[in-house]
Amino acid sequence: MSAQLHLNEAQFIKLREVNKVKLARLEEIQWQYVEDSQQRTAKIAELEAQYEAECGRILTPSQLSLFREEQKRDSSPTPPANSNEGGLG
């Protein structure tokens, strides 16, 4: 991520800390709302919005654009290379 976004040292340090906090909070939400999937989903969405806001404060507009593109790629599943793969039989 650092190389793709061309982060400077200060950005790298800040973003690393934001990522640590996000992961810790995500784990906490998963544990705390294990019985309530709707509340868990809402809290995760809230966490993602806070994370995006923090990234917006750290990254330049062009870096933020690249970051969002990378997130979209990571969140969408890639289809199997061979159309016969991934199926039954």
Side-chain angles (χ1 to χ4, degrees):
M1 181 201 268
S2 173
Q4 293 167 330
L5 298 178
H6 305 289
L7 300 177
N8 62 38
E9 187 174 353
Q11 288 174 314
F12 175 80
I13 292 168
K14 289 176 186 175
L15 202 56
R16 183 179 61 190
E17 188 59 34
V18 169
N19 282 325
K20 283 182 185 178
V21 170
K22 178 189 174 191
L23 291 174
R25 184 70 183 118
L26 184 60
E27 188 174 310
E28 184 181 311
I29 289 169
Q30 296 284 9
W31 178 81
Q32 192 173 12
Y33 299 100
V34 71
E35 298 292 327
D36 188 350
S37 65
Q38 283 184 318
Q39 187 71 10
R40 183 176 60 237
T41 302
K43 291 291 184 180
I44 290 172
E46 184 180 316
L47 177 64
E48 286 295 331
Q50 291 170 350
Y51 179 72
E52 282 276 331
E54 284 297 318
C55 289
R57 287 191 261 289
I58 296 168
L59 301 173
T60 66
S62 60
Q63 289 171 323
L64 192 57
S65 178
L66 286 170
F67 174 74
R68 286 181 178 144
E69 286 178 25
E70 190 65 32
Q71 278 190 316
K72 285 179 188 174
R73 256 185 266 133
D74 290 346
S75 67
S76 62
T78 55
N82 183 344
S83 61
N84 293 331
E85 290 181 19
L88 298 175

